[in-house]
Amino acid sequence: MPESGASTPGHIPNDHPTGPAGAAPPGTGPAAHTAPAGPGAPTAAAATGTGTGPGAPTAAPDTAPAPATVAARRAGLLVTLVLGGLTALPPLSMDMYLPALPEVTQALHAPAATIQLTLTACLAGMALGQLVVGPMSDKWGRRRPLLAGMLVYIAATAVCALAPGPEMLIAFRLLQGLAGAAGIVIARAVVRDLYDGVEMARFFSTLMLISGVAPIVAPLIGGQILRVTDWRGVFYALTLVGVLLTFVVWKWLGETLPPARRHGGGVGEALRTMRGLLADRVFSGYMLAGGLAFAALFAYISASPFVVQEIYGASPQTFSLLFGVNSVGLVAVGQINGKLLVGRVSMDKVLGTGLAVITLAAGALLLMTAGVFGDVGLVPVAAGLFVLMSAMGLALPNTNAQALMRTPHAAGSASALLGTSSFLVGAIASPLVGIAGEATAVPMAVVQLVCGLAAVGSFLGLCRPWRPRQPRTA
């Protein structure tokens, strides 16, 4: 399989000597920190071989963009869209299915706690799969493991649509998650291949804008699918999404990790690399803070269909609308983070603010769902969930960026640890929200509050943002 070249299938057209597929390693010169040429584009220096630092070639005085610059911007936009699609696959796999959860419990004659295990299995699969795919991508490049994972995802999703009982559905949701992990971990690793510093944080916010469309439209699509067919139709639709995304990856996503930067070791070296990453106190602090914040988010994802529809009596379409509104809040705050805050305000300050708001919103939800203010109804609870979800737009992009900035030498393994911690903690949180049955939302709020407090503790205790720190370079 070729690693670079012009117009070969699966590669971004390479009209200039060094495009995204052959970009210089981030952080190796002044070019690594220049502003991107356009929305989501790799840095101009990484894409065109030019820069503004000492020793860089002088930019041409022409007012019109050079052909190479135009090609770089187009290539960067393709990279942004493809990575956005890969990042959107997990919320699609989860959220299109959410309006169908009450129907699945009836159709398969299983209790709600058992059907919630289908979410847990998919989440656990995504967590464990990243531990395998991340080091594989450091060894063999990003492209081949990604395509293999996508093909398995398609097959597993198709079998989910045919599952006769909860046992098979849970098993193949696990396999679906294992395979879908390739898109999550490799998308983050590709971002680390191409970006560094502030630009990486901004790109993560751009990805949040693209991938944030998925949780907005996915429940709406799922609700509409349920109007014309049963829950199995949701998995048929996800199979089609997998086929289309696999084709896009094959056609347009080039290799971003050149052979010279790959690791030649096997499982032993991968484990040593991960052990070294975990020994970095600051990296572990960001990893835990992001994972626990994600667990609070997933407690909402897994509990909200029952809270909104069963406890407050809303229809699947109303639930989908509320879910979409909350996702709009997350995306909007993520864009405020990327466009206005990053580069002007310390990422640690923004991250700390996001974690604090998540914790306060979870505390308010606990008071409301426990009846401290009486029967408050759906609107105040929905408002609390909106604030909690919106604050994720400050927490999640900055934990990823801060952690990955410390790991230029092992982006795949670092991305795997970030994703695995998030999904494992989320998988643990999922069944806990239904532990008291379907008639109360208190467990959801308790899980969110505990996760928020633990995230704040991890951030303050391990990252110690008030202290100056030396960058980790090896």
Side-chain angles (χ1 to χ4, degrees), residues 69-425:
T69 303
V70 174
R73 291 178 179 178
R74 290 173 179 170
L77 180 59
L78 285 175
V79 170
T80 304
L81 294 176
V82 173
L83 295 184
L86 293 172
T87 309
L89 190 60
L92 281 176
S93 300
M94 295 288 182
D95 301 342
M96 280 181 65
Y97 176 61
L98 291 180
L101 283 178
E103 180 182 329
V104 176
T105 61
Q106 298 175 6
L108 299 184
H109 307 290
T114 300
I115 297 304
Q116 282 177 326
L117 288 176
T118 62
L119 292 174
T120 302
C122 186
L123 199 63
M126 289 180 180
L128 298 174
Q130 291 182 67
L131 287 177
V132 177
V133 177
M136 285 173 58
S137 74
D138 282 339
K139 181 178 181 180
W140 292 313
R142 313 303 186 200
R143 182 174 159 78
R144 284 181 288 176
L146 177 57
L147 287 172
M150 291 302 300
L151 291 174
V152 176
Y153 174 89
I154 293 168
T157 306
V159 174
C160 286
L162 304 173
E167 295 82 7
M168 180 175 286
L169 182 59
I170 291 171
F172 278 89
R173 285 282 278 176
L174 176 64
L175 181 59
Q176 183 191 43
L178 287 167
I184 308 168
V185 67
I186 291 177
R188 273 197 304 265
V190 168
V191 174
R192 187 62 187 92
D193 291 341
L194 299 176
Y195 296 90
D196 196 11
V198 168
E199 296 308 323
M200 182 166 55
R202 285 176 176 161
F203 193 88
F204 276 124
S205 292
T206 300
L207 281 187
M208 181 167 287
L209 172 63
I210 298 173
S211 63
V213 174
I216 295 172
V217 303
L220 297 173
I221 295 173
Q224 296 306 311
I225 290 174
L226 293 177
R227 286 179 175 269
V228 297
T229 184
D230 60 7
W231 63 273
R232 299 180 190 274
V234 174
F235 285 105
Y236 287 125
L238 285 172
T239 303
L240 178 60
V241 170
V243 171
L244 294 175
L245 188 54
T246 302
F247 173 78
V248 169
V249 169
W250 173 80
K251 183 74 173 174
W252 286 298
L253 183 63
E255 182 59 66
T256 61
L257 186 68
R261 291 172 54 199
R262 297 178 190 176
H263 295 196
V267 176
E269 181 175 338
L271 292 176
R272 285 191 295 273
T273 300
M274 289 185 176
R275 186 168 62 247
L277 292 172
L278 292 174
D280 179 4
R281 171 180 53 80
V282 178
F283 174 85
S284 295
Y286 288 124
M287 180 187 72
L288 289 173
L292 289 162
F294 182 84
L297 183 150
F298 199 76
Y300 157 76
I301 291 175
S302 58
S304 59
F306 297 97
V307 171
V308 174
Q309 296 179 76
E310 301 297 328
I311 297 177
Y312 293 101
S315 67
Q317 288 70 38
T318 299
F319 162 73
S320 299
L321 179 62
L322 291 176
F323 198 93
V325 169
N326 289 340
S327 299
V328 168
L330 187 152
V331 171
V333 174
Q335 292 314 291
I336 292 173
N337 173 70
K339 305 298 183 184
L340 299 179
L341 300 180
V342 170
R344 295 180 175 88
V345 182
S346 163
M347 278 190 276
D348 278 338
K349 289 182 180 179
V350 177
L351 171 58
T353 300
L355 294 177
V357 173
I358 289 170
T359 305
L360 291 173
L365 284 167
L366 179 58
L367 294 176
M368 287 188 286
T369 56
V372 173
F373 305 118
D375 186 6
V376 297
L378 177 59
V379 173
V381 172
L385 291 172
F386 175 81
V387 173
L388 185 145
M389 283 284 287
S390 297
M392 296 291 172
L394 298 178
L396 298 182
N398 290 313
T399 52
N400 283 332
Q402 291 284 66
L404 286 173
M405 271 195 287
R406 299 181 64 82
T407 60
H409 58 294
S413 296
S415 177
L417 286 174
L418 290 172
T420 296
S421 62
S422 296
F423 283 89
L424 277 180
V425 179

